[in-house]
Amino acid sequence: MRELPAILLMGPTAAGKSALALALAERYGGEIVSVDSAQVYRGMDIGTAKPGAATRARVRHHLIDLIDPSEAYSAAQFRRDALAAIAEARGRSGVPILCGGTMLYFKALTEGLSALPSADPQLRASLDARAAHEGWPALHAELSRVDPATAARLEPTDAQRIQRALEVWHVAGVPLSEMQGRRERSEEVGPLIRIALLPSDRGRLHRDIALRFDAMLTRGLIDELRALRRRYALTPDLPSMRSVGYRQAWAHIEGEINAAEFRARGIAATRQLAKRQFTWLRATQATSFDPHSAQAANQVIHFVGERLRSTTVTV
């Protein structure tokens, strides 16, 4: 039996990944597996640029609308679900195309998972209370003392990751950076074609990010969040509500910031996300393409065709 390679299509937000994934899927009979930590949530459509019904009717999509936004979803869950989706696609002789910008999920899929302790709700609540009083930069300073390696790669305001690193330290008594070196790889993903979209013009990317965010506002991001708050028992500290765009929209609805500040913060947060994605991609082994090139799509399609012919393996 011939095992088709899975395509990893990685890149910063607003780099054109989704359109390219769709083109690849239609050209090579592929199925798209979302690698997006926010698209797993039902009802979070506008702020996640989730593909619509017409697009999903054209090409089969996986790992979209899995859970309610009041629930949590982990990298471990993603790895299990992604491996199952890849197997399903291959079982239908489809090329799995893993497309998204959640770099932690790509890392979990390709490198395995660390044996980290489970979440401790009581400890997290305590850390949140401290952050409300002292500020996340103060907790980041604490993290610098107990786990300098992890603290060095986190922004002082990266609440979710600072909280998790301190949680691991308090529960396990071992730095997160040390535990992440103990990875388990019980199940392999099979042959891979790794592609990174790296825009050459950072200014153009920033303009595209602003245009994309404005389009979300026009489509009704605020109204979408209001509807979600009516339907689900949501709080601002839930992982879903910490997503870029939704976090700033929450502050606006609560009257903490005006419309102009909401827009400015949303765009700034998206740019910071893109910066982190760039940093991760530059340290990742992948064949890079510039999506700002006029020939980028054709180049990627040709490259994938050549690799599919040369890397399909017998199992």
Side-chain angles (χ1 to χ4, degrees), residues 184-196:
E184 301 174 350
R185 302 184 65 180
S186 58
E187 189 175 355
E188 300 297 331
V189 67
L192 297 172
I193 300 172
R194 304 173 192 244
I195 297 170

Side-chain angles (χ1 to χ4, degrees), residues 8-315:
L8 305 188
L9 184 56
M10 306 170 282
T13 187
K17 298 183 298 295
S18 298
L20 184 53
L22 192 63
L24 287 170
E26 293 187 317
R27 178 67 174 270
Y28 297 115
E31 300 184 15
I32 297 174
V33 181
S34 171
V35 188
D36 188 305
S37 61
Q39 288 189 357
V40 300
Y41 296 110
R42 302 183 188 101
M44 290 175 57
D45 303 333
I46 296 172
T48 66
K50 193 178 292 179
T55 298
R56 285 191 251 180
R58 287 167 59 189
V59 170
R60 188 187 298 267
H61 283 66
H62 302 264
L63 308 196
I64 291 175
D65 294 339
L66 299 182
I67 60 175
D68 292 339
S70 54
E71 302 174 278
Y73 191 76
S74 68
Q77 288 173 291
F78 167 79
R79 188 170 197 270
R80 288 192 296 269
D81 291 342
L83 288 170
I86 290 168
E88 287 178 21
R90 285 173 171 157
R92 287 186 285 266
S93 298
V95 177
I97 303 170
L98 290 95
C99 173
T102 302
M103 303 309 170
L104 173 63
Y105 285 6
F106 280 116
K107 187 177 180 69
L109 180 67
T110 59
E111 299 182 15
L113 292 161
S114 306
L116 297 176
S118 301
D120 184 323
Q122 186 173 354
L123 177 56
R124 288 191 174 188
S126 174
L127 291 169
D128 281 337
R130 285 186 54 199
H133 178 67
E134 304 170 34
W136 284 107
L139 272 71
H140 182 266
E142 178 181 321
L143 181 63
S144 297
R145 294 190 292 271
V146 299
D147 188 354
T150 298
R153 62 180 178 81
L154 299 182
E155 297 289 338
T157 54
D158 193 343
Q160 187 170 357
R161 291 178 176 84
I162 293 170
Q163 181 193 66
R164 179 55 175 157
L166 285 173
E167 178 184 45
V168 169
W169 166 255
H170 284 293
V171 172
V174 178
L176 174 64
S177 56
E178 181 179 330
M179 296 197 73
Q180 285 180 328
R182 310 170 184 172
R183 295 192 175 272
E184 301 174 350
R185 302 184 65 180
S186 58
E187 189 175 355
E188 300 297 331
V189 67
L192 297 172
I193 300 172
R194 304 173 192 244
I195 297 170
L197 298 184
L198 292 175
S200 58
D201 187 339
R202 196 67 67 93
R204 176 176 169 181
L205 179 65
H206 289 170
R207 291 191 295 274
D208 289 343
I209 285 172
L211 289 171
R212 175 181 162 123
F213 195 80
D214 284 340
M216 291 177 179
L217 296 182
T218 300
R219 290 184 59 204
L221 175 58
I222 289 290
D223 289 338
E224 178 178 81
L225 179 55
R226 286 197 176 105
L228 289 170
R229 283 163 50 120
R230 289 193 296 269
R231 183 174 181 183
Y232 301 103
L234 300 179
T235 60
D237 59 328
L238 283 167
S240 61
M241 294 298 104
R242 289 178 175 175
S243 300
V244 170
Y246 290 94
R247 180 186 301 186
Q248 293 76 27
W250 187 288
H252 177 53
I253 289 174
E254 290 296 312
E256 298 170 9
I257 54 177
N258 62 28
E261 183 66 14
F262 160 48
R263 177 182 180 274
R265 288 192 188 185
I267 292 171
T270 309
R271 288 173 60 169
Q272 285 297 314
L273 171 61
K275 181 180 178 181
R276 293 194 297 271
Q277 292 165 326
F278 263 106
T279 300
W280 189 90
L281 286 167
R282 288 200 180 98
T284 300
Q285 287 189 339
T287 301
S288 299
F289 295 88
D290 178 7
H292 291 162
S293 166
Q295 297 300 316
N298 289 335
Q299 290 170 349
V300 172
I301 289 171
H302 177 75
F303 171 77
V304 167
E306 292 294 315
R307 291 297 303 275
L308 285 174
R309 285 188 287 271
S310 65
T311 60
T312 300
V313 298
T314 301
V315 294

